[in-house]
Each structure stands twice: as structure tokens, then as C-alpha cells.
Amino acid sequence: MRGTFSYRSAVLILLLGVFTYLYGLDSRFAPKNGDEYPYMHIVRMTADAGHWLPLQSEMDGIKNTKPPLIFWQGIASTHWASEWSLAHLRWPSVLYTGLTAFFLFLAVRRFSGKTQTGILAALVWLSFFATYRYGRPFLADPPEVFWISLPFFAILYWGKSAFESKLFFPLMAGVCLGAALFAKSFAYIVPATFAMGLYYWRWRQWSIPQVIIKDLYKLILIAALALGVFALWFALDPNPEAVWKEFVVGENAGKFAARQSSYLMDLLRGGDSIWLLILTTIANAGLFSFVLISSLLQCWRARRFLSLEEVLLLLLIAAFFIVFSLPSQRSGRYLLPVMPAFAALIALYWDRLPLWGFRIALLLQLLVVSLLLWIGTNLQLSQFMGDAGTWTYSNCHWVLMSGSLLLILIGLFKSSQTKTLSLAACFLVYCALTSSLAPLEGRLGRYSAETMMQLQGKDVWIPCDYRAKDEEYRLLLPGTKLHGYLAKDAGDIAVLTSAYPLVAVHAPLGSLPELCDSCQIVGQRMEMRARHSNAEIQEMLMGQLGKHLFVIEYLVSTPASNPDVSNLKDVCR
């Protein structure tokens, strides 16, 4: 490793990675998945009910959408919703992600014999965009990845002792996999036990009779114990029939039904094809996707000389890919538990990898940072924010952006630093993204304290573009009674102000809403739109970012009478 990845580089990038995962942890604009707000809703409703079970929700068809472990985690971290913030909900996810990286480091260091290789594996995994996107928000993925990975890390760490263990390791693996099922889904027992079976098969020199004689009972014990842990949900929940109907049948069995024409056609073409599964799995690596491709090519070239540990890593990847290619709903997200294995392979081949994958990563990083710099500069120079405030960056932001650009350029032109700086730049890009949206986390993107006090206990209608969007607004308008309408109608100010007495409407930057004589603006802030039409995306690519990417949201008090909420469909639900 000397000359390409030193201890000093490892320590500096590790510190940068820790900072990156903590920076902006409470940001509403942190990369995430749309599941976070429904999960927040279930936590809040269950905590309000005062019981761990049954899970509570006002959303149609979304109550037992996941096993209770993730929701219990949210209840505990927010002290029964008494300390309600994104930071309180998310810090356990970061802890799980950090522990996964730590145990990956221990495993790779043990079998490779090199501390730098272990640190590198952990840092590469943390640099993957999927790890950053799913490993920080309040989602079920961080505990799932941790608990599934732990038994396989243990095998890599203990080696023969784990394989030959008659009881201790199978019990440990069963409990760990049971915790994973209790966090995400019982379906993960299939790829996990399949991978474990392949591990034992390889250990027995590919002898199936030997596996049956010596290891079959271990696999049965692991699976039975894991499913037993998951079955606690049915034993503890007062309404196990609802769990069976909503989660087992609705959430899992339905994923085998044909989504388009037929199962076979879905397998070979369309948005759920096996080819897209391959693409999205590689894309989990984000800016390091081409580095991952070059690592797999290197594996193929060295296939006759792979070590035992390399074979085990590839078997884990293969097992999950084969199993999750079977359901008609296919997604690279299902393969998040094998991304640490990909990171370990990259670390093992680091010195032998060609520079082209890292240079592509640096070019992608240069593109992202340049785009963020261009957008941020235009926003700071513009004066169309209205009374919501001004878009202003601190000096630290410009230091971050210029430093990131400088390091990326050095990496592109100095071959000896290309690999190390491309890894560091992944974290700098994530910091740059968070910093670029920082003005919206301040006064510009929030309602004033006076507005929040004025709206306490009142009914407010807000735009919703996905389920439980109101949970985001609860962070902006605590203490209000929120009701949702279709987000696409947010610009139809005349209709909205005639229908609702207190409503949030959207107006383009630089323009004031046309209101009735009796209407009054009680608050305003700047907001970033999350969903756009194809025509709007094309216009943004042509440079009209301000027109479609951002809007001014006005809270308007109108003379309209309060509608009968019981007869209205809440779009957020």
C-alpha cells in the first residue's frame, strides 16, 4: 500500500468521512428515500398511542409496512416523540453505518493482514452514494445491512473456527439474521441462508455430501432461529391477522406478481428487468461505479488465482443477486447488504487497479462540484427571493468548494495521487451538496417564529407530492393541524384561496401571488421542488433552474370557511 494509500491518508480521509456523515444530519434536503416520512408518521402515531404495538398509522394501507424494530428505534431515540427532530431520528442510522464500517475494517484487516487495506475497505464502502443515501436517514436499511453483514464478517474474521463451530457460530448467525428480519423483512432469510450454504459448500471443497453431513443442521438452525426472532412480531402484536395481511401478503408476496405483460417479459425488459438490476447494483457505488467495474474485471482476469476470502465475497454477492432477480419487482436497493463485499474487493485490488476508473470518478466529481458552484453563484448574485430573504453563503462554503475543485484537479493531473484523492473527493462532493443547500436550512427556508406562534392549533392546508409529506411540514410548523392537497395544484392560487381558510401556495421566484382583497400573507419561505415534469427538466437543463427548481411558498389567510375535513381526502394520507 505504500505510495498509494498511506496511514496518513487513511486517517485524514477517515476524519473527513466522519465529518461528512454527521454534517447536515438534520437537513430536510439530505439525500434519502421517500420511505422516511411514512416511517416518521408511524413512529409519531405509535408513540402518541403510548404502546409499542400495534403500530399506528393514518395512512391508507401503510401501517404494518415494516417489522417494528425500526419504529421502536425511532420511539426510543426521540424519547416517545418528545424530542422530535430529524437528528434524533437519524443518529441511530449513522451509528449502525459506522459499526458496519468498523466490522468490515476488522474482517478485511484480519484476512488481508494489512491495516491499510481494512481501513480502505471501510472508507470505500462509506464513499458509495447508496451508503450515504440510505445509511444516514431514518430508514430500515442501516440496521438491515449491519445485522446481515455481521455473520459473514465473522466468517471472514474467524475463518476455520467459524466454519467448524458446531453451535456457537450458528446461534450467533441466527440471532443476527433474526435481527435483520425484524428490521426489514423475513424475505432476507432466503438470500442470507443461500449465501451461508454456498460458504459451507466452498469450505467443504465443493462437496455437497460433506455439507449435508456436517453443515446442513447448522443452516436449518440458523434459519429457524432467525425466523423465530421475526415471529416474535406475531406473538407480541395484538392483531397478528393484520400483520399477515398487510406485511406478509401485501408487502412481500405481491412482489412476485407480473408488473407489466408477463413475468418472463418483465425479467428481460422494462424498468424491472434483470439488466436494470445489474445496472442499479453497480450504480449503488455512485461516483465509484467505474472503479467497481474495473475491480470486477480484475477479479475475472485473476479468477484462477482467487483466495478463499475473495471467493466467499463473490459467493455472497452472487447469492443475493440470484435471489433478488426472482421477484418481479427488482431494485439495486435490495442488494445493499452486499455493497460491503464490493468495497472489500476494491480494497484488495486497489494497487492493481488501472487509473481509468478513478479518473472517471474524478471527472464526475468535477462535473458535480462545478454544477453546484455555478448554481450557488447564480443564486447568491440573484435578487429575486422577495421578502423571504437572500441566498447567502458563508466564507466556509467558498473555501469548501474551491478546495474541492483544487483537490479534484490535482487528482486528475497527478497520477500518484489519483486514487487517494478520488476517494477523498467522494466525501467532499457530499459535503459540497449539503453546504450548497444550507441557506434553505436557515431563515430563507423556514417560517419565522412569529408565524409559527400565530398558527398554533390552526388547520393549515399544504401541498403533498408523496405520502406523509406533512411530516416534513410538522418540522416547519409544529403545533398546527395539517391537511394535504395535490402538490401540482400549488400554483393555482385563486382556486386554493377560495377553498381553504389557511393555505400554503407556491409562486415563482421574483413574483408575488395574486390574492383576493381579503386575503393576507401570514408567512413566506423559499422551497426547493422535489418533482418535475419532463418539460420542466428540459428547461432546467437549458439554464432555467430558478424557474422550476425553487419557488416561494406563501402562507395565506383567506375568508373561505373551514371545509368539512371528515369528507375531504387528505392527499398526504
Side-chain angles (χ1 to χ4, degrees), residues 73 94 119 178 194 219 225 273 316 345 373 387 412 518 551:
Q73 171 189 306
V94 177
I119 298 175
F194 181 34
L219 295 173
L225 185 56
S273 68
L316 175 63
L345 290 173
L373 191 58
D387 295 332
L412 279 170
S518 302
V551 293

Side-chain angles (χ1 to χ4, degrees), residues 511-531:
S511 64
L512 290 172
E514 296 182 4
L515 302 175
C516 64
D517 294 336
S518 302
C519 295
Q520 180 183 2
I521 296 176
V522 296
Q524 60 183 291
R525 68 184 185 94
M526 188 176 176
E527 176 66 318
M528 185 173 72
R529 293 180 57 198
R531 295 184 176 180

Side-chain angles (χ1 to χ4, degrees), residues 47-260:
D48 287 346
H51 302 285
W52 296 101
L53 287 172
L55 300 175
Q56 302 294 326
S57 171
E58 293 178 345
M59 294 180 289
D60 295 336
I62 300 182
K63 180 182 291 184
N64 295 303
T65 184
K66 284 291 180 288
L69 185 60
I70 180 66
F71 306 113
W72 292 351
Q73 171 189 306
I75 291 173
S77 67
T78 61
H79 299 90
W80 289 87
S82 63
E83 298 181 18
W84 194 248
S85 70
L86 289 175
H88 279 90
L89 286 162
R90 289 172 175 173
W91 72 258
S93 295
V94 177
L95 179 60
Y96 270 120
T97 300
L99 288 173
T100 304
F102 176 70
F103 284 109
L104 174 61
F105 153 72
L106 291 179
V108 175
R109 183 186 66 168
R110 180 62 175 264
F111 73 75
S112 69
K114 298 178 181 178
T115 301
Q116 292 113 308
T117 305
I119 298 175
L120 186 56
L123 291 175
V124 169
W125 179 66
L126 291 173
S127 75
F128 290 163
F129 181 69
T131 308
Y132 184 73
R133 180 186 179 188
Y134 296 107
R136 296 171 76 233
F138 177 59
L139 297 170
D141 303 282
E144 167 218 357
V145 171
F146 173 76
W147 290 113
I148 286 179
S149 299
L150 204 55
F152 297 99
F153 291 163
I155 287 178
L156 293 173
Y157 187 89
W158 285 323
K160 180 180 178 180
S161 298
F163 280 118
E164 298 297 341
S165 172
K166 291 179 169 52
L167 194 60
F168 175 76
F169 176 76
L171 288 176
M172 187 274 286
V175 171
C176 290
L177 294 181
L181 307 191
F182 209 54
K184 189 68 177 279
S185 171
F186 69 91
Y188 277 89
I189 194 60
V190 179
T193 52
F194 181 34
M196 197 67 68
L198 292 178
Y199 272 37
Y200 280 116
W201 187 29
R202 171 61 186 85
W203 179 251
R204 302 301 176 190
Q205 302 298 318
W206 309 109
S207 171
I208 293 180
Q210 286 293 310
V211 172
I212 293 175
I213 294 171
K214 297 182 178 180
D215 305 312
L216 180 59
Y217 81 92
K218 301 176 187 177
L219 295 173
I220 295 174
L221 177 60
I222 291 171
L225 185 56
L227 289 173
V229 174
F230 174 79
L232 290 174
W233 187 10
F234 292 90
L236 298 174
D237 199 295
N239 192 3
E241 296 84 3
V243 174
W244 177 267
K245 179 180 178 182
E246 297 171 20
F247 182 73
V248 177
V249 177
E251 182 77 11
N252 289 273
K255 293 181 179 178
F256 282 88
R259 293 166 67 83
Q260 300 296 330

Side-chain angles (χ1 to χ4, degrees), residues 1-2 4-5 114 346-353 419:
M1 286 285 181
R2 187 172 57 187
T4 57
F5 195 72
K114 298 178 181 178
I346 292 175
L348 292 170
Y349 286 103
W350 185 265
D351 285 339
R352 287 173 280 174
L353 293 179
K419 294 181 179 181

Side-chain angles (χ1 to χ4, degrees), residues 390-432:
T390 58
W391 190 286
T392 306
Y393 289 117
S394 67
N395 292 332
C396 292
H397 170 78
W398 300 114
V399 171
L400 170 65
M401 301 302 288
S402 57
S404 300
L405 277 177
L406 179 62
L407 286 177
I408 291 170
L409 291 173
I410 292 174
L412 279 170
F413 293 106
K414 192 172 182 180
S415 298
S416 62
Q417 297 297 320
T418 295
K419 294 181 179 181
T420 300
L421 292 183
S422 66
L423 178 59
C426 287
F427 297 107
L428 290 173
V429 167
Y430 302 149
C431 289

Side-chain angles (χ1 to χ4, degrees), residues 198-522:
L198 292 178
Y199 272 37
Y200 280 116
W201 187 29
R202 171 61 186 85
W203 179 251
R204 302 301 176 190
Q205 302 298 318
W206 309 109
S207 171
I208 293 180
Q210 286 293 310
V211 172
I212 293 175
I213 294 171
K214 297 182 178 180
D215 305 312
L216 180 59
Y217 81 92
K218 301 176 187 177
L219 295 173
I220 295 174
L221 177 60
I222 291 171
L225 185 56
L227 289 173
V229 174
F230 174 79
L232 290 174
W233 187 10
F234 292 90
L236 298 174
D237 199 295
N239 192 3
E241 296 84 3
V243 174
W244 177 267
K245 179 180 178 182
E246 297 171 20
F247 182 73
V248 177
V249 177
E251 182 77 11
N252 289 273
K255 293 181 179 178
F256 282 88
R259 293 166 67 83
Q260 300 296 330
S261 54
S262 68
Y263 176 85
L264 183 60
M265 295 306 293
D266 288 346
L267 178 68
L268 299 176
R269 70 181 186 185
D272 291 295
S273 68
I274 193 171
W275 317 116
L276 198 63
L277 177 63
I278 296 173
L279 183 63
T280 54
T281 301
I282 293 175
N284 281 337
L287 298 166
F288 255 35
S289 293
F290 288 93
V291 176
L292 175 57
I293 291 172
S294 69
S295 299
L296 295 176
L297 291 174
Q298 192 70 27
C299 271
W300 174 254
R301 296 190 188 100
R303 60 190 180 277
R304 295 182 181 178
F305 309 101
L306 295 175
S307 67
L308 171 64
E309 291 79 12
E310 290 171 289
V311 172
L312 295 179
L313 292 170
L314 291 171
L315 288 175
L316 175 63
I317 295 168
F320 272 73
F321 182 83
I322 291 170
V323 170
F324 284 113
S325 66
L326 299 178
S328 56
Q329 182 178 333
R330 302 174 184 90
S331 169
R333 185 180 178 185
Y334 299 148
L335 274 78
L336 289 178
V338 303
M339 296 312 296
F342 280 124
L345 290 173
I346 292 175
L348 292 170
Y349 286 103
W350 185 265
D351 285 339
R352 287 173 280 174
L353 293 179
L355 293 180
W356 62 265
F358 297 94
R359 285 182 173 142
I360 293 176
L362 285 165
L363 288 172
L364 292 173
Q365 292 157 359
L366 179 63
L367 177 64
V368 173
V369 173
S370 299
L371 183 61
L372 291 174
L373 191 58
W374 178 72
I375 295 173
T377 302
N378 279 275
L379 286 170
Q380 177 143 325
L381 293 176
S382 63
Q383 300 297 324
F384 45 61
M385 309 301 174
D387 295 332
T390 58
W391 190 286
T392 306
Y393 289 117
S394 67
N395 292 332
C396 292
H397 170 78
W398 300 114
V399 171
L400 170 65
M401 301 302 288
S402 57
S404 300
L405 277 177
L406 179 62
L407 286 177
I408 291 170
L409 291 173
I410 292 174
L412 279 170
F413 293 106
K414 192 172 182 180
S415 298
S416 62
Q417 297 297 320
T418 295
K419 294 181 179 181
T420 300
L421 292 183
S422 66
L423 178 59
C426 287
F427 297 107
L428 290 173
V429 167
Y430 302 149
C431 289
L433 176 61
T434 302
S435 181
S436 295
L437 294 172
L440 290 179
E441 298 295 344
R443 192 177 75 86
L444 182 64
R446 296 183 179 273
Y447 292 111
S448 66
E450 293 79 9
T451 298
M452 289 189 284
M453 287 296 296
Q454 186 178 347
L455 298 181
Q456 287 291 304
K458 294 186 178 180
D459 292 284
V460 181
W461 275 259
I462 58 170
C464 277
D465 50 7
Y466 49 85
R467 301 290 288 273
K469 172 74 172 182
D470 58 311
E471 295 301 331
E472 178 179 349
Y473 274 86
R474 290 183 194 280
L475 302 170
L476 298 167
L477 294 169
T480 56
K481 301 174 184 177
L482 299 171
H483 313 280
Y485 66 84
L486 288 174
K488 67 181 182 63
D489 299 329
D492 198 347
I493 298 174
V495 172
L496 292 172
T497 53
S498 65
Y500 307 117
L502 197 55
V503 61
V505 300
H506 289 171
L509 297 180
S511 64
L512 290 172
E514 296 182 4
L515 302 175
C516 64
D517 294 336
S518 302
C519 295
Q520 180 183 2
I521 296 176
V522 296

